[in-house]
Amino acid sequence: MPFALCLALLTGLLAACTGAPDHVTLRVLASPELADVEPLLGRLAEDTGVELTMEYEASADLAGRYPATGRPAPDLAWLASDRSFQLRVQDSGGRITRPESTSVLRSPVVVGLTPAAAGALRAKAPGGRISWADVADAAAGGRLRFGMADPRRSDTGRAALVGVATAAAGTGGALRAQDVSCDRLRGFRSGQSLTADSSRALLAAYAAHPERADALIAHESELLSLNAGGRLRAPLEIVHPDDGMVLSDFPLLLLDPRERGPYRKVVDWLLRADVQRELMRRTHRRPVDPDVRPTGPLAQPVGNALSFPDRLSTVQRLVDDYGDPAHGTADQVVFLLDFSTSMRGERIAALRAAFAGLSGADRTATGKFARFYRGERLTVVRFGGRVLQERTVTVRGDADLRTLDRIVADGGFDDATAVWSALDRGYALAAQAVRAAPRRPVAIVLMTDGENNAGLGPAEFLRRHRALGTAVAAVPTFPVPFGEADPSALERVARATGGRVVDARLSSLADAFKEIRGCH
């Protein structure tokens, strides 16, 4: 027998006797949050013969990396969540193959609060149980600054945004396209003071400058690791919002089907009870093995798990509407309020209650999400046959809101109703706002209960509106009619300006204001 053949047989026998596995190296596109599993990869290679080379560059839906677009294709992907990616697969019409996926660990997206912030929120929350609505309310009021990873790039940031938006919708089910309302997250967003491309980078930035935020929104596991790392003066209090959280399951995906054998070895190893316990100890994530009992802080129940949307378009609309968290945004809304004598009694009471609710008096979950918020610029114009009073404030705190409330609560009335002259004045104010801050969204809300009997007519108003510059003419008007107001004329003007009529006779005035404020 030739020497080379003998040597090959001997090598094979030795491998069989010793149980030494064949060595395989797989490239893994991973979420940056998973860098904390790196210390265990050496043991994985020893036990299975599979070496994982981790590339911590995964985006929220693997766009630009899978299918490959000119860059070397990874063999596996290990993500905080593959929900956005699976929706992209679903939307591809068969162009992208759905890869095999196995959940490895679990962790909910929660809120970590400084002790002072937690105490303040708990004191105002019903029964001391903090919700996303409470977080949004405090952010809108300028009482809470938070950090959250960019939902355009990060699985964690996207899961956090979906959780907040689902709670804001208040339907109890998965977020739908019609639930993505442009007014409900503006107050929440106004409190974001810290962001990063990944939650790992976010936590590092916070640890270096904790004075920049009072709260962090991230995975429970990451916040527990931050607390255990000794980088903070005082640990963050971890709160599982009472209105639910999105649960991440850290799946391992097989992108190259030719590597199914090594992939199965890795998955089987990761799901071993001893490895699940070690991963739980090192990463503070919850095991997926039901026979492995969570310990320490993880023994606390997760709470109400929220469903992820089942349409990519819904997620994309939500992310697009939220925009770039590194750049602040705040609307300007011009409220044109009819104070003709026909408004006396129940109608003015409803108007005043609606304004008080938007100023923070409405303590329902919807009210907390839809209230006026810090940085928002608000103009109130009371009109009858002419402009009776006009005031503009940029909201910095409760004192500014009290100023607007006084205008609405204490103003007198007028015998005439000049609807279209008031709207013409509204567009003069809009023109000033567009010139002063071209990137600030502006909208007009026109509330009236009467027929126009003074000043401009609707045709003359529309003629003047057509003469405005493009930017000003694009400012939408949202008429809110009730009582004897002419719905056909209001509808015509709403269409011409790019707005829409919201009929307060079909719902409460407060709900009508919540629905349209800033939506355009």
Side-chain angles (χ1 to χ4, degrees):
M1 181 181 293
F3 175 76
L5 181 56
C6 290
L7 183 60
L9 288 171
L10 180 60
T11 302
L13 287 169
L14 285 172
C17 293
T18 61
D22 297 331
H23 185 83
V24 178
T25 299
L26 300 180
R27 295 177 59 246
V28 183
L29 182 61
S31 294
E33 292 88 336
L34 283 157
D36 56 8
V37 304
E38 192 90 38
L40 285 178
L41 297 185
R43 180 178 157 195
L44 166 67
E46 290 176 5
D47 290 353
T48 67
V50 182
E51 180 179 349
L52 301 184
T53 301
M54 307 285 274
E55 300 174 9
Y56 300 106
E57 300 176 1
S59 62
D61 58 8
L62 299 187
R65 294 302 306 271
Y66 181 82
T69 54
R71 300 178 66 180
D75 303 303
L76 311 179
W78 199 351
L79 309 176
S81 169
D82 66 350
R83 292 185 180 100
S84 287
F85 169 66
Q86 298 293 5
L87 292 179
R88 188 163 74 91
V89 172
Q90 174 183 294
D91 244 31
S92 71
R95 289 179 291 105
I96 305 176
T97 303
R98 185 181 297 276
E100 185 175 345
S101 175
T102 306
S103 299
V104 176
L105 297 158
R106 292 195 178 97
S107 192
V109 175
V110 299
V111 186
L113 295 158
T114 63
L121 278 182
R122 189 166 284 108
K124 287 178 171 286
R129 299 172 66 87
I130 298 171
S131 67
W132 287 119
D134 296 319
V135 172
D137 181 54
R143 303 187 305 276
L144 183 76
R145 300 163 305 143
F146 68 87
M148 185 178 82
D150 188 340
R152 299 171 304 166
R153 300 178 174 87
S154 163
D155 288 319
T156 309
R158 186 163 297 188
L161 182 58
V162 166
V164 176
T166 303
T171 64
L175 198 69
R176 305 162 299 176
Q178 60 265 38
D179 299 325
V180 180
S181 174
C182 60
D183 63 323
R184 290 182 182 169
L185 294 185
R186 297 291 166 83
F188 170 77
R189 190 191 191 288
S190 70
Q192 183 160 5
S193 60
L194 195 62
T195 192
D197 286 351
S198 71
S199 57
R200 185 176 180 84
L202 174 77
L203 268 63
Y206 175 76
H209 298 283
E211 73 282 356
R212 293 179 60 187
D214 312 299
L216 291 177
I217 301 175
H219 283 111
E220 171 192 62
S221 56
E222 296 173 294
L223 297 174
L224 287 170
S225 294
L226 179 64
N227 282 345
R231 291 184 289 171
L232 303 180
R233 251 180 224 177
L236 297 175
E237 182 174 331
I238 296 175
V239 170
H240 296 70
D242 200 44
D243 37 6
M245 299 142 285
V246 171
L247 188 64
S248 296
D249 61 351
F250 296 86
L252 187 66
L253 282 64
L254 175 63
L255 302 184
D256 185 349
R258 295 171 298 182
E259 302 294 353
R260 177 165 283 105
Y263 169 79
R264 290 310 319 170
K265 288 183 180 180
V266 173
V267 165
D268 290 345
W269 187 85
L270 290 171
L271 297 183
R272 275 173 28 187
D274 62 319
V275 175
Q276 288 272 289
R277 278 190 285 270
E278 183 64 12
L279 284 167
M280 177 174 59
R281 186 183 69 81
R282 285 180 175 271
T283 72
H284 301 283
R285 298 186 183 101
R286 296 167 183 262
V288 294
D289 184 345
D291 294 328
V292 176
R293 181 175 298 178
T295 58
L298 301 181
Q300 177 185 352
V302 168
N304 178 30
L306 297 173
S307 300
F308 205 79
D310 59 3
R311 292 285 184 272
L312 181 63
S313 58
T314 302
V315 177
Q316 197 56 57
R317 179 179 169 186
L318 176 64
V319 171
D320 289 346
D321 187 64
Y322 195 77
D324 183 352
H327 298 288
T329 182
D331 293 339
Q332 176 157 350
V333 185
V334 179
F335 288 95
L336 306 174
L337 306 180
D338 184 346
F339 268 65
S340 57
T341 50
S342 60
M343 283 290 294
R344 291 182 186 275
E346 291 183 3
R347 292 173 183 175
I348 199 65
L351 173 61
R352 288 167 172 163
F355 247 80
L358 290 172
S359 298
D362 184 348
R363 304 311 295 167
T364 66
T366 304
K368 291 176 181 178
F369 277 111
R371 57 163 291 173
F372 293 136
Y373 59 88
R374 180 178 172 84
E376 190 172 19
R377 190 169 174 82
L378 304 169
T379 299
V380 171
V381 177
R382 293 193 308 107
F383 72 91
R386 57 186 175 81
V387 171
L388 302 174
Q389 191 174 9
E390 179 179 303
R391 182 67 180 267
T392 298
V393 301
T394 298
V395 179
R396 301 298 179 204
D398 289 342
D400 299 308
L401 298 178
R402 286 194 294 271
T403 297
L404 295 182
D405 279 344
R406 281 195 298 271
I407 294 174
V408 177
D410 302 333
F413 297 88
D414 189 70
D415 290 336
T417 308
V419 174
W420 309 114
S421 293
L423 188 54
D424 189 58
R425 175 56 186 163
Y427 273 94
L429 293 169
Q432 295 173 15
V434 169
R435 284 194 299 270
R439 298 183 62 181
R440 180 192 289 269
V442 183
I444 297 173
V445 175
L446 168 63
M447 191 286 302
T448 182
D449 77 331
E451 296 279 357
N452 186 70
N453 58 23
L456 302 177
E460 175 62 14
F461 165 75
L462 288 172
R463 187 191 67 77
R464 294 166 71 110
H465 180 266
R466 286 191 291 270
L468 296 170
T470 304
V472 180
V475 172
T477 290
F478 299 97
V480 183
F482 59 100
E484 296 75 36
D486 180 1
S488 60
L490 293 172
E491 182 68 49
R492 189 163 68 251
V493 167
R495 285 198 305 268
T497 64
R500 70 182 187 280
V501 172
V502 177
D503 198 335
R505 292 169 294 194
L506 303 178
S507 62
S508 72
L509 183 60
D511 287 343
F513 274 13
K514 288 176 189 176
E515 179 185 347
I516 62 178
R517 186 173 55 82
C519 294
H520 51 291

